Amino acid sequence: MIKLFYEDSYISEFSARVERCTKADDGYLVTLSQTAFFPTAGGQECDSGTIDNEEVLSVICENDEIYHLVKNPIEEGKTVTGKLHFEERFRKMQHHSAEHIVSGLAFSRFSLVNTGFHLGKDDVTIDYGAEITEEQLCELENLANEVVYKNLEISASYPKADELENINYRSKKEILGRIRIVTIPGVDVCACCAPHVKHTGEIGIIKFTDMMRHRGGVRIRMICGKDALLDYCQKQKSVAQISRMLSAPQNEVFGAVLKLSEQISDQKRKNAQLLNELALYEIKSIPKTEENFIVFSAVCDRNVQRMIVNEAKKRVGGVFALLSGDDENGYSYIITANNGVSESVNKLNAALSGKGGGRGDTAEGHFYTARKKIEEEFKIL
Ligand SMILES: [Zn+2]
């Protein structure tokens, strides 16, 4: 079986003979005389595409043989056409080559050892065994993009065992047979089995979007090429919207948002102060009485309402009710009585389409009726 992706990583369509087609649990495993489909390997998900009209569901490599999983059987001996979703493959080539640049520079500049790499559909992460600062990450990003601008050639070779001994290369687990050395001159030499772009300029841009602590080191999120452009477009749109909303230049939106956030905090403090004053005003309006007493409160905050009720309990000997709401939506209530509240509340709930209750001297709930009706019912309690 010829691995076409090693001859030319840009092959997106090829002819091949079906060598074997065997039933598997979730479809049929097809082996071909040659293939351009790169399997799941080295932190990278497999290529997708079709063999004739059959969608390739996954590609795996076992004992140097490449198996293509398809839903329906394909006749053995038949000549078929394999087609890769090449945009997706090219994206992987861009990101994988970028990873080599970044990891090569991370090692030479900061002695960071690459401990993991994941190249998925939506997320690309690189792990390193030690931590670096935000400034060092920024420097690493700049150095990596300098390599992109230089448009260096990326080459692959298969040195013999004695030659390998004299090559200083970053080692990764080699899973597809012979040691394949991928070289970016002056930047990185690494054992790798994956397809790469021919020149670093094809990567377009290398952008880090996040860095977090991970297993004693760091995990860096990276986007390249079209992914980075799409990300830029999406973020630019957000910034433009915030800029218009806050009437601030686009490069000053953070300051504008910070100012807005401070204004909101300030407003919250003022609101709390006003609420407190309103509560004190309502408390003052409650007389010392042995009768029942009802207050329609302008305070909506439940905690402040409870504070008013606690003060009312010291003044009102009968049943005290604090209500807030309107005729359309009804009124939420807190009702208290020093000698027990449940009997009065049950009566009021029944008469005023109420829901709620409580134990001891306080009950909370809601009357789904108008203010006038509540006042009338309270009079005859
Ligand atoms: Zn690699």
Side-chain angles (χ1 to χ4, degrees):
M1 190 263 321
I2 301 164
K3 292 166 184 151
L4 294 168
F5 45 82
Y6 285 151
E7 294 183 5
D8 181 351
S9 56
Y10 295 80
I11 294 174
S12 62
E13 190 171 332
F14 62 96
S15 288
R17 192 181 64 255
V18 176
E19 302 216 309
R20 292 203 66 187
C21 176
T22 50
K23 179 94 181 77
D25 290 344
D26 39 5
Y28 290 84
L29 286 171
V30 173
T31 57
L32 302 171
S33 56
Q34 56 177 7
T35 186
F37 282 95
F38 185 73
T40 297
Q44 183 170 324
E45 288 172 13
C46 64
D47 288 329
S48 65
T50 53
I51 295 173
D52 278 357
N53 291 321
E54 282 295 321
E55 195 73 36
V56 175
L57 305 170
S58 76
V59 187
I60 51 167
C61 182
E62 262 180 31
N63 300 325
D64 209 30
E65 181 62 83
I66 290 178
Y67 297 87
H68 310 75
L69 180 71
V70 291
K71 195 177 170 198
N72 300 302
I74 305 175
E75 194 187 327
E76 289 179 358
K78 189 185 176 189
T79 299
V80 290
T81 302
K83 282 183 190 169
L84 266 67
H85 293 147
F86 192 71
E87 193 175 335
E88 182 191 301
R89 153 66 84 77
F90 185 63
R91 171 187 173 271
K92 285 177 186 155
M93 283 156 53
Q94 287 176 308
H95 283 83
H96 202 122
S97 297
E99 188 271 328
H100 279 227
I101 294 172
V102 172
S103 292
L105 291 169
F107 185 72
S108 61
R109 179 71 184 85
F110 301 115
S111 306
L112 284 181
V113 176
N114 174 236
T115 55
F117 175 48
H118 171 73
L119 171 40
K121 273 193 171 60
D122 303 311
D123 202 25
V124 181
T125 57
I126 317 174
D127 301 339
Y128 293 104
E131 289 187 24
I132 52 168
T133 64
E134 290 287 340
E135 290 73 24
Q136 287 172 324
L137 184 72
C138 193
E139 185 185 336
L140 185 59
E141 187 180 81
N142 280 327
L143 289 171
N145 280 289
E146 291 292 340
V147 175
V148 173
Y149 309 149
K150 283 180 187 161
N151 202 24
L152 303 176
E153 188 178 354
I154 301 178
S155 60
S157 60
Y158 297 88
K160 289 179 191 133
D162 57 332
E163 290 171 334
L164 263 178
E165 279 172 22
N166 298 319
I167 300 174
N168 189 14
Y169 65 98
R170 290 193 302 116
S171 183
K172 287 183 181 177
K173 199 179 163 197
E174 177 62 31
I175 60 164
L176 296 185
R178 293 180 297 164
I179 302 278
R180 180 170 174 261
I181 295 293
V182 172
T183 303
I184 305 169
V187 180
D188 188 49
V189 182
C190 184
C192 176
C193 58
H196 285 263
V197 293
K198 267 191 192 123
H199 294 93
T200 59
E202 293 170 68
I203 296 164
I205 183 170
I206 298 173
K207 187 80 195 89
F208 301 143
T209 57
D210 194 22
M211 176 171 74
M212 67 186 81
R213 286 204 175 96
H214 181 75
R215 292 182 181 171
V218 287
R219 167 165 287 179
I220 294 169
R221 292 212 134 69
M222 175 183 78
I223 47 176
C224 301
K226 200 172 176 181
D227 282 16
L229 177 66
L230 292 174
D231 183 68
Y232 187 98
C233 291
Q234 190 263 322
K235 284 172 181 164
Q236 210 281 327
K237 204 172 162 187
S238 293
V239 167
Q241 283 169 334
I242 297 168
S243 158
R244 273 196 296 277
M245 188 187 282
L246 302 181
S247 303
Q250 288 191 8
N251 58 353
E252 290 174 20
V253 290
F254 176 69
V257 170
L258 201 62
K259 199 173 152 193
L260 183 68
S261 160
E262 283 166 1
Q263 283 169 349
I264 291 169
S265 298
D266 194 39
Q267 201 58 50
K268 277 185 182 166
R269 272 195 299 277
K270 282 180 185 160
N271 285 351
Q273 204 177 339
L274 281 173
L275 200 60
N276 217 33
E277 282 176 23
L278 188 58
L280 290 174
Y281 175 79
E282 288 186 358
I283 288 166
K284 271 186 191 166
S285 74
I286 302 167
K288 246 191 165 347
T289 175
E290 288 308 308
E291 303 295 315
N292 298 341
F293 197 77
I294 187 165
V295 167
F296 283 87
S297 176
V299 175
C300 300
D301 186 286
R302 210 60 169 165
N303 288 326
V304 180
Q305 285 179 343
R306 288 191 188 112
M307 187 187 90
I308 297 171
V309 170
N310 282 337
E311 286 302 312
K313 271 158 72 174
K314 296 174 193 165
R315 296 165 180 241
V316 179
V319 177
F320 174 77
L322 184 121
L323 296 110
S324 68
D326 53 49
D327 281 5
E328 197 183 329
N329 300 301
Y331 292 82
S332 69
Y333 66 72
I334 304 178
I335 295 174
T336 182
N338 289 327
N339 56 357
V341 79
S342 59
E343 196 185 324
S344 307
V345 166
N346 288 343
K347 205 174 152 193
L348 290 166
N349 275 344
L352 300 169
S353 313
K355 268 187 185 167
R359 284 184 198 164
D361 63 358
T362 308
E364 296 190 16
H366 201 95
F367 296 136
Y368 294 91
T369 188
R371 174 172 177 157
K372 199 161 168 263
K373 191 114 195 287
I374 297 170
E375 284 172 329
E376 280 167 11
E377 204 58 40
F378 204 71
K379 267 182 204 156
I380 58 166
L381 192 64

